[in-house]
Amino acid sequence: MQILRHSEHTLKTALISKNPELVSLYEKFNAGEQRLMNEAFQLSSSLFGPISVHSRSDWITSHPEAPQDFEQFFTDRYRNKPCPEKHIIYIQSIGSLGNTRVISEEYIKWLKGYCEAFFYGLTVKFLEPVSVSATRCAFRVNEHTQNLQIHAGHILAFLKKKKPQDAFCIVGITMIDLYPRDSWNFVFGQASLTDGVGIFSFARYGKDFYSTRYEGTVKHPRRTSSSDYSIFDNYYNPEITSILLWRSCKTLTHEIGHIFGLRHCQWLACLMQGSNHLEESDRRPLNLCPICLRKLQCAIGFSIVERYRALLRWIDDEPSHASRATPRNSSVHVNLPKPVEAFKDWREWVVKCIAVLEK
């Protein structure tokens, strides 16, 4: 294992900048906010640590990229910025997300509530679910895993056409595996930053996807017409476990972060690190490092402590008024217990951050 540790000077410059204008902006943060973000360059910090590389297949080794500090983010004239006319994050589910309609609706509500807390200050809305056939996307049976897959690029084109006028972005979520082109095995997700659209699959986050017991295998693949979507009828959905919810929240916020213009983080252990495989994705924390936190705060303008309080309320299952909404056509109004066991350690971390902010 290799530890990528930057110097105090490097991290301080990446966070604050040497540009007098950006230094002045940083000094407008209150004492608690500066105390928290200054943890970025405290080598003994218990809140933010260095990036660890476990193998040559890890993202940072196999995909060399130029790092993005706060100044580069701030001066990027092409990045997407929310504004009063475009301030809503829309979530569009494609295909069923759970084994029952109630489970699907609750899962969407949990993801919506998490995004509202993470991107604190923006509105998050979910659109009425659509079937795979409504997207008119290409599909296939993966020759290696024998599971169904849908074409990510075609889904992006569908979402772009459906994007509401007041949308900052629209993201599709599905429990069906994705592929970006015929030569690729699969992809977890794909986004168009210029169009503000993304599609993400949680199919491989189920506990049994990589086991011989996986029930999403197409037992007897049959050649079907490209317009015959009946193969998706009653297709397998993994159980919504705590680890699946944890992974889903992580992927969704990471990818929406890209739409805000945050590139892969190479400074500290951070949600915005790239990941090449599930093991690496699981090592990536739920939280943003101070450098990426400043980028997101700059884009949205939230109170840092209020954002952490909102995340804590979500973990403690105290829904906001907006998060109680259910799809218009919902016939059942129930509240299933939110499976947050996998968030236990992160809850303790959030509490520590709030304590630093309020000291």
Side-chain angles (χ1 to χ4, degrees), residues 312-347:
L312 187 59
R313 286 194 298 271
W314 183 89
I315 298 169
D316 291 343
D317 209 12
E318 300 173 15
S320 67
H321 176 73
S323 294
R324 294 190 187 104
T326 54
R328 287 191 298 272
N329 296 332
S330 176
S331 57
V332 182
H333 295 272
V334 297
N335 283 309
L336 298 177
K338 189 190 300 175
V340 293
E341 297 82 11
F343 296 83
K344 180 181 177 182
D345 290 344
W346 194 55
R347 183 192 185 282

mmCIF file of all heavy atoms in Angstrom, residues 312-347:
data_model
loop_
_atom_site.group_PDB
_atom_site.id
_atom_site.type_symbol
_atom_site.label_atom_id
_atom_site.label_comp_id
_atom_site.label_asym_id
_atom_site.label_seq_id
_atom_site.Cartn_x
_atom_site.Cartn_y
_atom_site.Cartn_z
ATOM 1 N N LEU A 312 -26.833 14.879 9.442
ATOM 2 C CA LEU A 312 -27.054 14.157 10.701
ATOM 3 C C LEU A 312 -28.531 13.816 10.877
ATOM 4 O O LEU A 312 -28.879 12.702 11.288
ATOM 5 C CB LEU A 312 -26.551 15.004 11.870
ATOM 6 C CG LEU A 312 -26.539 14.339 13.253
ATOM 7 C CD1 LEU A 312 -25.659 13.095 13.257
ATOM 8 C CD2 LEU A 312 -26.068 15.332 14.309
ATOM 9 N N ARG A 313 -29.412 14.752 10.536
ATOM 10 C CA ARG A 313 -30.863 14.485 10.622
ATOM 11 C C ARG A 313 -31.255 13.354 9.684
ATOM 12 O O ARG A 313 -32.097 12.522 10.021
ATOM 13 C CB ARG A 313 -31.660 15.750 10.286
ATOM 14 C CG ARG A 313 -31.659 16.808 11.381
ATOM 15 C CD ARG A 313 -32.723 17.863 11.137
ATOM 16 N NE ARG A 313 -32.524 18.598 9.895
ATOM 17 C CZ ARG A 313 -31.790 19.703 9.777
ATOM 18 N NH1 ARG A 313 -31.150 20.185 10.841
ATOM 19 N NH2 ARG A 313 -31.659 20.318 8.622
ATOM 20 N N TRP A 314 -30.645 13.320 8.499
ATOM 21 C CA TRP A 314 -30.980 12.247 7.552
ATOM 22 C C TRP A 314 -30.571 10.893 8.121
ATOM 23 O O TRP A 314 -31.338 9.928 8.058
ATOM 24 C CB TRP A 314 -30.284 12.491 6.208
ATOM 25 C CG TRP A 314 -30.637 11.460 5.183
ATOM 26 C CD1 TRP A 314 -31.680 11.485 4.304
ATOM 27 C CD2 TRP A 314 -29.956 10.211 4.944
ATOM 28 N NE1 TRP A 314 -31.693 10.339 3.539
ATOM 29 C CE2 TRP A 314 -30.644 9.545 3.913
ATOM 30 C CE3 TRP A 314 -28.834 9.611 5.504
ATOM 31 C CZ2 TRP A 314 -30.249 8.306 3.419
ATOM 32 C CZ3 TRP A 314 -28.431 8.371 5.025
ATOM 33 C CH2 TRP A 314 -29.131 7.735 3.993
ATOM 34 N N ILE A 315 -29.369 10.808 8.678
ATOM 35 C CA ILE A 315 -28.912 9.546 9.252
ATOM 36 C C ILE A 315 -29.809 9.127 10.414
ATOM 37 O O ILE A 315 -30.155 7.953 10.570
ATOM 38 C CB ILE A 315 -27.453 9.663 9.732
ATOM 39 C CG1 ILE A 315 -26.526 9.976 8.558
ATOM 40 C CG2 ILE A 315 -27.002 8.366 10.417
ATOM 41 C CD1 ILE A 315 -25.105 10.371 8.967
ATOM 42 N N ASP A 316 -30.211 10.105 11.240
ATOM 43 C CA ASP A 316 -31.059 9.820 12.405
ATOM 44 C C ASP A 316 -32.520 9.656 12.037
ATOM 45 O O ASP A 316 -33.380 9.534 12.906
ATOM 46 C CB ASP A 316 -30.903 10.934 13.446
ATOM 47 C CG ASP A 316 -29.537 10.929 14.104
ATOM 48 O OD1 ASP A 316 -28.844 9.889 14.005
ATOM 49 O OD2 ASP A 316 -29.149 11.939 14.701
ATOM 50 N N ASP A 317 -32.786 9.681 10.709
ATOM 51 C CA ASP A 317 -34.138 9.437 10.189
ATOM 52 C C ASP A 317 -35.135 10.485 10.680
ATOM 53 O O ASP A 317 -36.256 10.168 11.083
ATOM 54 C CB ASP A 317 -34.632 8.034 10.558
ATOM 55 C CG ASP A 317 -35.619 7.494 9.522
ATOM 56 O OD1 ASP A 317 -35.721 8.103 8.435
ATOM 57 O OD2 ASP A 317 -36.274 6.481 9.798
ATOM 58 N N GLU A 318 -34.709 11.738 10.632
ATOM 59 C CA GLU A 318 -35.603 12.848 10.935
ATOM 60 C C GLU A 318 -35.856 13.582 9.623
ATOM 61 O O GLU A 318 -35.124 14.497 9.253
ATOM 62 C CB GLU A 318 -34.961 13.803 11.948
ATOM 63 C CG GLU A 318 -34.633 13.146 13.268
ATOM 64 C CD GLU A 318 -33.856 14.073 14.186
ATOM 65 O OE1 GLU A 318 -33.824 15.284 13.902
ATOM 66 O OE2 GLU A 318 -33.290 13.582 15.176
ATOM 67 N N PRO A 319 -36.867 13.178 8.855
ATOM 68 C CA PRO A 319 -37.072 13.733 7.512
ATOM 69 C C PRO A 319 -37.466 15.190 7.546
ATOM 70 O O PRO A 319 -38.162 15.657 8.438
ATOM 71 C CB PRO A 319 -38.200 12.873 6.935
ATOM 72 C CG PRO A 319 -38.945 12.379 8.135
ATOM 73 C CD PRO A 319 -37.918 12.199 9.212
ATOM 74 N N SER A 320 -36.974 15.919 6.540
ATOM 75 C CA SER A 320 -37.426 17.302 6.361
ATOM 76 C C SER A 320 -38.818 17.273 5.763
ATOM 77 O O SER A 320 -39.313 16.248 5.295
ATOM 78 C CB SER A 320 -36.479 18.036 5.405
ATOM 79 O OG SER A 320 -36.569 17.488 4.103
ATOM 80 N N HIS A 321 -39.476 18.412 5.759
ATOM 81 C CA HIS A 321 -40.835 18.486 5.195
ATOM 82 C C HIS A 321 -40.834 18.055 3.736
ATOM 83 O O HIS A 321 -41.682 17.296 3.289
ATOM 84 C CB HIS A 321 -41.369 19.914 5.325
ATOM 85 C CG HIS A 321 -42.729 20.105 4.686
ATOM 86 N ND1 HIS A 321 -43.878 19.603 5.253
ATOM 87 C CD2 HIS A 321 -43.092 20.711 3.527
ATOM 88 C CE1 HIS A 321 -44.922 19.913 4.468
ATOM 89 N NE2 HIS A 321 -44.455 20.578 3.417
ATOM 90 N N ALA A 322 -39.808 18.525 2.985
ATOM 91 C CA ALA A 322 -39.752 18.203 1.560
ATOM 92 C C ALA A 322 -39.560 16.720 1.324
ATOM 93 O O ALA A 322 -40.082 16.146 0.371
ATOM 94 C CB ALA A 322 -38.620 18.991 0.891
ATOM 95 N N SER A 323 -38.817 16.049 2.229
ATOM 96 C CA SER A 323 -38.511 14.636 2.019
ATOM 97 C C SER A 323 -39.701 13.727 2.286
ATOM 98 O O SER A 323 -39.662 12.551 1.995
ATOM 99 C CB SER A 323 -37.351 14.223 2.925
ATOM 100 O OG SER A 323 -36.184 14.896 2.540
ATOM 101 N N ARG A 324 -40.789 14.278 2.852
ATOM 102 C CA ARG A 324 -41.950 13.438 3.122
ATOM 103 C C ARG A 324 -42.818 13.243 1.884
ATOM 104 O O ARG A 324 -43.739 12.451 1.887
ATOM 105 C CB ARG A 324 -42.791 14.073 4.237
ATOM 106 C CG ARG A 324 -42.101 14.113 5.583
ATOM 107 C CD ARG A 324 -43.088 14.529 6.674
ATOM 108 N NE ARG A 324 -42.403 14.717 7.936
ATOM 109 C CZ ARG A 324 -42.107 15.897 8.459
ATOM 110 N NH1 ARG A 324 -42.429 17.006 7.804
ATOM 111 N NH2 ARG A 324 -41.487 15.995 9.611
ATOM 112 N N ALA A 325 -42.508 14.001 0.836
ATOM 113 C CA ALA A 325 -43.325 13.903 -0.373
ATOM 114 C C ALA A 325 -43.206 12.519 -0.992
ATOM 115 O O ALA A 325 -42.176 11.867 -0.904
ATOM 116 C CB ALA A 325 -42.870 14.950 -1.386
ATOM 117 N N THR A 326 -44.280 12.058 -1.615
ATOM 118 C CA THR A 326 -44.276 10.775 -2.312
ATOM 119 C C THR A 326 -44.740 10.999 -3.736
ATOM 120 O O THR A 326 -45.371 11.998 -4.050
ATOM 121 C CB THR A 326 -45.233 9.763 -1.631
ATOM 122 O OG1 THR A 326 -46.534 10.355 -1.531
ATOM 123 C CG2 THR A 326 -44.743 9.413 -0.247
ATOM 124 N N PRO A 327 -44.407 10.102 -4.659
ATOM 125 C CA PRO A 327 -44.836 10.264 -6.043
ATOM 126 C C PRO A 327 -46.345 10.464 -6.137
ATOM 127 O O PRO A 327 -47.111 9.916 -5.353
ATOM 128 C CB PRO A 327 -44.391 8.944 -6.703
ATOM 129 C CG PRO A 327 -43.235 8.497 -5.870
ATOM 130 C CD PRO A 327 -43.567 8.910 -4.469
ATOM 131 N N ARG A 328 -46.752 11.230 -7.135
ATOM 132 C CA ARG A 328 -48.166 11.624 -7.249
ATOM 133 C C ARG A 328 -49.106 10.440 -7.333
ATOM 134 O O ARG A 328 -50.205 10.468 -6.795
ATOM 135 C CB ARG A 328 -48.353 12.506 -8.505
ATOM 136 C CG ARG A 328 -47.791 13.893 -8.370
ATOM 137 C CD ARG A 328 -48.252 14.753 -9.528
ATOM 138 N NE ARG A 328 -47.788 14.256 -10.803
ATOM 139 C CZ ARG A 328 -46.630 14.593 -11.340
ATOM 140 N NH1 ARG A 328 -45.797 15.380 -10.690
ATOM 141 N NH2 ARG A 328 -46.259 14.127 -12.522
ATOM 142 N N ASN A 329 -48.674 9.391 -8.018
ATOM 143 C CA ASN A 329 -49.562 8.249 -8.221
ATOM 144 C C ASN A 329 -49.434 7.187 -7.140
ATOM 145 O O ASN A 329 -49.924 6.079 -7.277
ATOM 146 C CB ASN A 329 -49.296 7.617 -9.596
ATOM 147 C CG ASN A 329 -49.634 8.582 -10.716
ATOM 148 O OD1 ASN A 329 -50.503 9.443 -10.550
ATOM 149 N ND2 ASN A 329 -48.949 8.452 -11.844
ATOM 150 N N SER A 330 -48.737 7.491 -6.060
ATOM 151 C CA SER A 330 -48.565 6.514 -4.994
ATOM 152 C C SER A 330 -49.894 6.210 -4.323
ATOM 153 O O SER A 330 -50.635 7.111 -3.963
ATOM 154 C CB SER A 330 -47.576 7.047 -3.959
ATOM 155 O OG SER A 330 -47.482 6.159 -2.884
ATOM 156 N N SER A 331 -50.170 4.940 -4.178
ATOM 157 C CA SER A 331 -51.435 4.532 -3.568
ATOM 158 C C SER A 331 -51.258 4.143 -2.102
ATOM 159 O O SER A 331 -52.213 3.958 -1.374
ATOM 160 C CB SER A 331 -52.023 3.342 -4.340
ATOM 161 O OG SER A 331 -51.100 2.273 -4.365
ATOM 162 N N VAL A 332 -50.005 4.000 -1.667
ATOM 163 C CA VAL A 332 -49.746 3.560 -0.304
ATOM 164 C C VAL A 332 -48.816 4.558 0.373
ATOM 165 O O VAL A 332 -47.802 4.954 -0.190
ATOM 166 C CB VAL A 332 -49.076 2.160 -0.296
ATOM 167 C CG1 VAL A 332 -48.853 1.699 1.137
ATOM 168 C CG2 VAL A 332 -49.932 1.163 -1.054
ATOM 169 N N HIS A 333 -49.167 4.992 1.566
ATOM 170 C CA HIS A 333 -48.342 5.936 2.316
ATOM 171 C C HIS A 333 -47.825 5.230 3.555
ATOM 172 O O HIS A 333 -48.524 5.111 4.558
ATOM 173 C CB HIS A 333 -49.160 7.177 2.680
ATOM 174 C CG HIS A 333 -49.589 7.974 1.485
ATOM 175 N ND1 HIS A 333 -48.818 8.974 0.935
ATOM 176 C CD2 HIS A 333 -50.703 7.896 0.718
ATOM 177 C CE1 HIS A 333 -49.439 9.493 -0.124
ATOM 178 N NE2 HIS A 333 -50.583 8.849 -0.257
ATOM 179 N N VAL A 334 -46.612 4.719 3.471
ATOM 180 C CA VAL A 334 -45.991 4.029 4.597
ATOM 181 C C VAL A 334 -44.571 4.551 4.755
ATOM 182 O O VAL A 334 -44.006 5.137 3.838
ATOM 183 C CB VAL A 334 -45.956 2.501 4.385
ATOM 184 C CG1 VAL A 334 -47.338 1.926 4.293
ATOM 185 C CG2 VAL A 334 -45.145 2.145 3.142
ATOM 186 N N ASN A 335 -44.002 4.332 5.905
ATOM 187 C CA ASN A 335 -42.617 4.703 6.155
ATOM 188 C C ASN A 335 -41.855 3.464 6.604
ATOM 189 O O ASN A 335 -41.999 3.024 7.746
ATOM 190 C CB ASN A 335 -42.536 5.795 7.220
ATOM 191 C CG ASN A 335 -42.912 7.159 6.674
ATOM 192 O OD1 ASN A 335 -42.373 7.581 5.650
ATOM 193 N ND2 ASN A 335 -43.811 7.841 7.340
ATOM 194 N N LEU A 336 -41.072 2.890 5.696
ATOM 195 C CA LEU A 336 -40.236 1.762 6.054
ATOM 196 C C LEU A 336 -39.024 2.274 6.825
ATOM 197 O O LEU A 336 -38.546 3.383 6.578
ATOM 198 C CB LEU A 336 -39.769 1.032 4.793
ATOM 199 C CG LEU A 336 -40.859 0.408 3.911
ATOM 200 C CD1 LEU A 336 -40.214 -0.210 2.679
ATOM 201 C CD2 LEU A 336 -41.651 -0.629 4.676
ATOM 202 N N PRO A 337 -38.508 1.503 7.763
ATOM 203 C CA PRO A 337 -37.312 1.947 8.497
ATOM 204 C C PRO A 337 -36.127 2.082 7.543
ATOM 205 O O PRO A 337 -35.851 1.193 6.741
ATOM 206 C CB PRO A 337 -37.090 0.833 9.525
ATOM 207 C CG PRO A 337 -37.832 -0.353 8.991
ATOM 208 C CD PRO A 337 -38.999 0.183 8.226
ATOM 209 N N LYS A 338 -35.454 3.201 7.637
ATOM 210 C CA LYS A 338 -34.310 3.466 6.767
ATOM 211 C C LYS A 338 -33.116 2.629 7.249
ATOM 212 O O LYS A 338 -32.730 2.720 8.418
ATOM 213 C CB LYS A 338 -33.973 4.950 6.806
ATOM 214 C CG LYS A 338 -32.928 5.389 5.777
ATOM 215 C CD LYS A 338 -32.481 6.819 6.045
ATOM 216 C CE LYS A 338 -33.643 7.792 5.973
ATOM 217 N NZ LYS A 338 -33.199 9.164 6.358
ATOM 218 N N PRO A 339 -32.511 1.811 6.378
ATOM 219 C CA PRO A 339 -31.384 0.964 6.807
ATOM 220 C C PRO A 339 -30.075 1.754 6.841
ATOM 221 O O PRO A 339 -29.346 1.822 5.857
ATOM 222 C CB PRO A 339 -31.354 -0.134 5.729
ATOM 223 C CG PRO A 339 -31.897 0.539 4.498
ATOM 224 C CD PRO A 339 -32.899 1.561 4.977
ATOM 225 N N VAL A 340 -29.757 2.349 7.972
ATOM 226 C CA VAL A 340 -28.598 3.250 8.060
ATOM 227 C C VAL A 340 -27.432 2.662 8.856
ATOM 228 O O VAL A 340 -26.518 3.387 9.246
ATOM 229 C CB VAL A 340 -29.017 4.614 8.671
ATOM 230 C CG1 VAL A 340 -29.947 5.360 7.729
ATOM 231 C CG2 VAL A 340 -29.664 4.427 10.037
ATOM 232 N N GLU A 341 -27.438 1.348 9.076
ATOM 233 C CA GLU A 341 -26.365 0.745 9.861
ATOM 234 C C GLU A 341 -24.987 1.042 9.263
ATOM 235 O O GLU A 341 -24.015 1.268 9.992
ATOM 236 C CB GLU A 341 -26.559 -0.776 9.955
ATOM 237 C CG GLU A 341 -27.828 -1.217 10.676
ATOM 238 C CD GLU A 341 -29.060 -1.177 9.768
ATOM 239 O OE1 GLU A 341 -28.892 -1.008 8.531
ATOM 240 O OE2 GLU A 341 -30.182 -1.300 10.293
ATOM 241 N N ALA A 342 -24.880 1.047 7.933
ATOM 242 C CA ALA A 342 -23.593 1.269 7.278
ATOM 243 C C ALA A 342 -23.093 2.704 7.441
ATOM 244 O O ALA A 342 -21.921 2.987 7.174
ATOM 245 C CB ALA A 342 -23.698 0.924 5.788
ATOM 246 N N PHE A 343 -23.949 3.607 7.884
ATOM 247 C CA PHE A 343 -23.589 5.015 8.056
ATOM 248 C C PHE A 343 -23.130 5.326 9.484
ATOM 249 O O PHE A 343 -22.859 6.484 9.802
ATOM 250 C CB PHE A 343 -24.782 5.912 7.709
ATOM 251 C CG PHE A 343 -25.220 5.847 6.276
ATOM 252 C CD1 PHE A 343 -26.058 4.829 5.832
ATOM 253 C CD2 PHE A 343 -24.808 6.810 5.356
ATOM 254 C CE1 PHE A 343 -26.476 4.769 4.507
ATOM 255 C CE2 PHE A 343 -25.219 6.752 4.037
ATOM 256 C CZ PHE A 343 -26.053 5.729 3.610
ATOM 257 N N LYS A 344 -23.039 4.309 10.346
ATOM 258 C CA LYS A 344 -22.763 4.534 11.765
ATOM 259 C C LYS A 344 -21.441 5.278 11.990
ATOM 260 O O LYS A 344 -21.388 6.272 12.734
ATOM 261 C CB LYS A 344 -22.735 3.192 12.506
ATOM 262 C CG LYS A 344 -22.465 3.324 13.992
ATOM 263 C CD LYS A 344 -22.426 1.950 14.678
ATOM 264 C CE LYS A 344 -22.079 2.089 16.156
ATOM 265 N NZ LYS A 344 -21.996 0.772 16.827
ATOM 266 N N ASP A 345 -20.363 4.803 11.374
ATOM 267 C CA ASP A 345 -19.059 5.443 11.570
ATOM 268 C C ASP A 345 -19.070 6.866 11.021
ATOM 269 O O ASP A 345 -18.456 7.775 11.601
ATOM 270 C CB ASP A 345 -17.951 4.633 10.891
ATOM 271 C CG ASP A 345 -17.684 3.321 11.596
ATOM 272 O OD1 ASP A 345 -18.121 3.168 12.756
ATOM 273 O OD2 ASP A 345 -17.058 2.436 10.990
ATOM 274 N N TRP A 346 -19.731 7.039 9.886
ATOM 275 C CA TRP A 346 -19.766 8.376 9.290
ATOM 276 C C TRP A 346 -20.568 9.330 10.159
ATOM 277 O O TRP A 346 -20.240 10.512 10.245
ATOM 278 C CB TRP A 346 -20.343 8.322 7.877
ATOM 279 C CG TRP A 346 -20.081 9.589 7.110
ATOM 280 C CD1 TRP A 346 -18.862 10.171 6.890
ATOM 281 C CD2 TRP A 346 -21.043 10.431 6.480
ATOM 282 N NE1 TRP A 346 -19.010 11.323 6.157
ATOM 283 C CE2 TRP A 346 -20.335 11.495 5.883
ATOM 284 C CE3 TRP A 346 -22.422 10.372 6.341
ATOM 285 C CZ2 TRP A 346 -20.969 12.511 5.163
ATOM 286 C CZ3 TRP A 346 -23.058 11.383 5.626
ATOM 287 C CH2 TRP A 346 -22.345 12.440 5.047
ATOM 288 N N ARG A 347 -21.594 8.833 10.831
ATOM 289 C CA ARG A 347 -22.370 9.688 11.737
ATOM 290 C C ARG A 347 -21.457 10.253 12.826
ATOM 291 O O ARG A 347 -21.526 11.453 13.144
ATOM 292 C CB ARG A 347 -23.514 8.895 12.380
ATOM 293 C CG ARG A 347 -24.402 9.741 13.276
ATOM 294 C CD ARG A 347 -25.340 8.910 14.141
ATOM 295 N NE ARG A 347 -26.247 9.771 14.880
ATOM 296 C CZ ARG A 347 -25.910 10.449 15.983
ATOM 297 N NH1 ARG A 347 -24.674 10.343 16.480
ATOM 298 N NH2 ARG A 347 -26.797 11.224 16.586
#
